[in-house]
Amino acid sequence: MRNIRLLIAYDGTAYAGWQRQRIQPTIQGVLEEKISLMTTAPVIVHGAGRTDAGVHALGMVANFHTISSIPCAGFLKGLNCLLPDDIAILQVDEVDADFHARFKAKGKIYAYQFLCAPIVLPHQRLYYTQVPKQLDFEMMESALSLLVGEHDFSCFEAAGSRDCSVVGGRGAVRQIFSASLQQQGDGWAIVLHGDGFLRHMVRNVAGTVFDVGQGRSSLRDFVEILASKDRGRAGKTAPAKGLFLREVIY
Amino acid sequence: MRNIRLLIAYDGTAYAGWQRQRIQPTIQGVLEEKISLMTTAPVIVHGAGRTDAGVHALGMVANFHTISSIPCAGFLKGLNCLLPDDIAILQVDEVDADFHARFKAKGKIYAYQFLCAPIVLPHQRLYYTQVPKQLDFEMMESALSLLVGEHDFSCFEAAGSRDCSVVGGRGAVRQIFSASLQQQGDGWAIVLHGDGFLRHMVRNVAGTVFDVGQGRSSLRDFVEILASKDRGRAGKTAPAKGLFLREVIY
C-alpha cells in the first residue's frame, strides 16, 4: 500500500467542519469522495485534526493509503479538477508507511483573524471577525505572553475536546511555544503555536484576549481565569470564521 | 425632497451586477427594496455606474430622493441591519438637491486584482484572478503607462458600452489619469484612474496587459492594438471576480 500525504487549504464557510458526516458536506467527506473517484476504491483520509464548522485552513495535512498507481502529480492535478474551488490541494507526496497525519503531528499553528473597525467590508466578512470597540494591543500582547509554556488550559476548553487533541493522555495540559499578534492582510491575527489544542481553545483564547483588549478584563483577571481552570470564567467563543489552521508541524 | 448619498461596498459574487433586473438579484434591486422598506415608499437609487455580474465594489456611490425624515445615521444603521452581509453601507450623507451619483462623477478608480501563482488559495478565489504563467511586471508597467492620456479606447470596448459611461457624447474617447501596478493583499492589482470607462474596459485592459506580461504580445503590439481601435486585436476579457470599483471621484 502506498501512503499519500496531502497539503490542503480550504474555505470552511460552506462545510460542517472537517469530520465526515452522513448528510452535511464536510472537508473529509468531499476529499474521500473525490479520491475514491480517482482510485475507484473506498478510502479513508486521516486529517491532522478536526476543524469545526466554518473554520478555514491554509495548511491542513492529511494522509491516505491506496494501491492505486496514480503518481503524486496526477493526484494533485486530478483532485484540484474534481474538488469544488473552496478546497485546494497544495502539495501531494508519497511518504513512509508509518506516517500518520494526526499521530505524527508535533504541533500546529493557528491564526485567529480580526478587524478592529466599525464596519467589516463585504470581501472580508468570511475571514475576519469584527471587534467594533478599540483594542489595547499592548495589553493583548501581554495576555498572550502569559499563555506561553505548559499549562492546564481547561478554562479555554469546550466539551468533548479530549479526543481531538494531538497529544493525548494528559488532560487539558498543552504546551504553547509562541503566542503573538501579527498584522494579517487588512487586519490582525492572534497567532498561536502549540503542541496541541483543545476543542474551541483558540476561539476561546481569542474571545478572552478581546476582553482584555477592550478593558473588560485586566491582565490580573486573565491570570486568574487561566489558573481557575473554569470555562465559565473565560470570555466568549469567538466566531469560527476568523480561525485559520495555518500549519501542521511534524 | 431630501437627496441622500450612499457610499457602498459589496461582494458582487452572488449578484447579476448593479442594475435592477426582474428576476435575478442585483445590488440596485436589493438596495431599493431595503430603502423602500425603511421609508415605506418606492424609491429609485442612482448609482455612479453599472458594475457587471460578479464585479465587486469598495467605494460605489449612489443617491436617492426621499421625503422620509429618517436621519442619515438611521439609514446607516438600519440599512446595514436589513442588507445581506455581502452589501455594506459605509457612509450616508444628505447632499444638495442637484447631486447625482452618475452625472456628477468626475472620475473613477478601478483595481483589477490578480495572483501570479500556480494555485489560488480558497479564500482568495472570489477576489483574485489567477495568472499561472510568470509575468514580466516591468513590461506590464510600460504597457499601462501607454494608456495614460486621452485615447480612443474602442479596442477595449465591449458591445453596448456607450450608455454606461460617465462622460457621454465623445464615442470611445476617455481620459486615463494614471495606470499602474500596485501590491494588493496577497497579490497585485492593475489600478486605473480615469474620467470614465467603457463597458468591460478594465477587464479587457487587464487581459491584454497579461498578454504583454506573459510575452504573448510585445509593447509594440500593445501600441498597435490601441491604435487599431479593433476589439478583435486586444486580449481576452479577464474574469469579473478580479475587478473592484475602488472609488468614485466628484
Side-chain angles (χ1 to χ4, degrees):
Chain A
M1 289 283 259
R2 297 164 69 208
N3 189 8
I4 308 290
R5 182 179 62 198
L6 305 174
L7 181 66
I8 311 157
Y10 50 84
D11 177 335
T13 307
Y15 297 91
W18 168 267
Q19 195 177 14
R20 190 191 318 114
Q21 290 188 22
R22 251 168 215 232
I23 295 167
Q24 291 187 285
T26 66
I27 311 291
Q28 186 188 29
V30 173
L31 283 170
E32 290 178 345
E33 180 201 328
K34 302 308 181 191
I35 294 168
S36 288
L37 206 66
M38 286 188 74
T39 60
T40 64
V43 71
I44 290 173
V45 173
H46 304 283
R50 304 176 199 166
T51 55
D52 287 318
V55 172
H56 314 293
L58 291 171
M60 172 62 99
V61 175
N63 72 298
F64 65 93
H65 295 91
T66 181
I67 54 163
S68 158
S69 61
I70 297 171
C72 290
F75 277 119
L76 181 67
K77 207 164 181 179
L79 287 174
N80 280 326
C81 280
L82 292 170
L83 286 165
D85 65 358
D86 49 9
I87 305 178
I89 306 295
L90 306 181
Q91 203 179 314
V92 181
D93 293 297
E94 191 157 349
V95 288
D96 290 344
D98 70 338
F99 176 81
H100 188 288
R102 178 142 64 110
F103 302 137
K104 294 286 179 179
K106 288 208 170 69
K108 285 181 193 159
I109 298 174
Y110 275 101
Y112 193 89
Q113 299 192 174
F114 64 97
L115 288 165
C116 189
I119 291 172
V120 169
L121 294 173
H123 68 285
Q124 302 165 330
R125 76 192 186 286
L126 305 174
Y127 312 114
Y128 289 91
T129 287
Q130 179 194 23
V131 186
K133 232 176 128 183
Q134 202 146 11
L135 293 169
D136 183 330
F137 280 67
E138 223 169 293
M139 290 293 273
M140 290 169 71
E141 289 265 20
S142 299
L144 287 169
S145 70
L146 296 168
L147 300 174
V148 178
E150 200 165 63
H151 299 281
D152 182 315
F153 287 107
S154 297
C155 69
F156 297 125
E157 180 185 27
S161 72
R162 299 297 160 87
D163 59 329
C164 293
S165 62
V166 172
V167 183
R170 47 178 184 140
V173 174
R174 295 292 179 275
Q175 191 171 357
I176 296 294
F177 304 119
S178 68
S180 62
L181 279 182
Q182 293 178 11
Q183 238 179 322
Q184 173 61 47
D186 304 318
W188 293 86
I190 293 170
V191 182
L192 300 181
H193 175 196
D195 65 355
F197 291 88
L198 306 167
R199 184 142 194 254
H200 288 186
M201 179 168 152
V202 184
R203 292 164 59 190
N204 290 337
V205 164
T208 311
V209 168
F210 293 149
D211 282 348
V212 172
Q214 295 180 324
R216 271 206 293 264
S217 301
S218 66
L219 276 184
R220 193 184 183 141
D221 294 333
F222 194 83
V223 172
E224 284 176 11
I225 289 164
L226 188 57
S228 74
K229 303 178 192 174
D230 175 5
R231 173 69 192 98
R233 295 199 53 186
K236 281 185 198 154
T237 307
K241 65 178 187 172
L243 186 58
F244 283 77
L245 171 58
R246 267 201 194 165
E247 197 179 336
V248 185
I249 292 146
Y250 291 92
Chain B
M1 288 286 258
R2 296 163 70 206
N3 190 8
I4 307 291
R5 181 179 64 197
L6 306 174
L7 181 66
I8 310 157
Y10 50 84
D11 176 336
T13 307
Y15 297 91
W18 168 268
Q19 196 177 13
R20 190 191 318 115
Q21 290 188 22
R22 255 180 211 223
I23 295 167
Q24 291 187 285
T26 66
I27 311 291
Q28 186 187 30
V30 173
L31 283 171
E32 290 178 345
E33 181 201 329
K34 302 308 181 192
I35 295 167
S36 287
L37 205 66
M38 286 188 75
T39 60
T40 64
V43 71
I44 290 172
V45 172
H46 305 282
R50 304 175 199 167
T51 54
D52 287 318
V55 172
H56 315 293
L58 291 171
M60 172 62 100
V61 175
N63 72 298
F64 65 93
H65 294 92
T66 181
I67 54 162
S68 158
S69 60
I70 296 171
C72 290
F75 276 118
L76 182 67
K77 206 164 182 181
L79 286 174
N80 280 326
C81 281
L82 292 170
L83 286 165
D85 65 358
D86 51 8
I87 305 179
I89 307 296
L90 306 181
Q91 202 178 313
V92 181
D93 293 297
E94 190 157 349
V95 289
D96 290 344
D98 70 338
F99 176 81
H100 188 288
R102 177 144 63 111
F103 301 137
K104 294 286 179 177
K106 288 208 169 68
K108 285 181 193 159
I109 299 174
Y110 276 101
Y112 194 88
Q113 299 191 176
F114 64 97
L115 288 165
C116 189
I119 291 173
V120 169
L121 293 172
H123 67 284
Q124 301 165 330
R125 75 192 188 285
L126 304 175
Y127 312 115
Y128 290 91
T129 288
Q130 180 193 22
V131 186
K133 232 177 128 182
Q134 203 147 10
L135 292 169
D136 184 329
F137 280 67
E138 223 170 292
M139 289 293 272
M140 290 169 71
E141 289 265 20
S142 298
L144 286 170
S145 70
L146 295 169
L147 299 174
V148 177
E150 201 165 63
H151 298 281
D152 182 314
F153 287 106
S154 297
C155 68
F156 297 123
E157 180 184 29
S161 71
R162 299 298 160 87
D163 60 330
C164 293
S165 60
V166 172
V167 183
R170 48 180 185 139
V173 174
R174 295 292 180 274
Q175 191 171 357
I176 296 293
F177 304 119
S178 69
S180 63
L181 279 183
Q182 293 178 11
Q183 239 179 322
Q184 172 61 46
D186 304 318
W188 292 86
I190 293 170
V191 182
L192 300 181
H193 175 195
D195 65 355
F197 291 88
L198 306 167
R199 184 143 194 254
H200 288 186
M201 179 168 152
V202 184
R203 293 163 60 189
N204 290 337
V205 164
T208 311
V209 168
F210 292 149
D211 282 349
V212 172
Q214 296 180 323
R216 270 206 295 264
S217 301
S218 66
L219 275 184
R220 191 181 185 147
D221 294 333
F222 194 82
V223 171
E224 283 176 12
I225 289 164
L226 187 57
S228 75
K229 304 178 193 174
D230 175 5
R231 173 69 192 97
R233 296 200 52 185
K236 280 186 199 155
T237 307
K241 66 178 186 172
L243 186 57
F244 283 77
L245 172 58
R246 269 202 192 165
E247 197 181 337
V248 185
I249 291 146
Y250 292 92

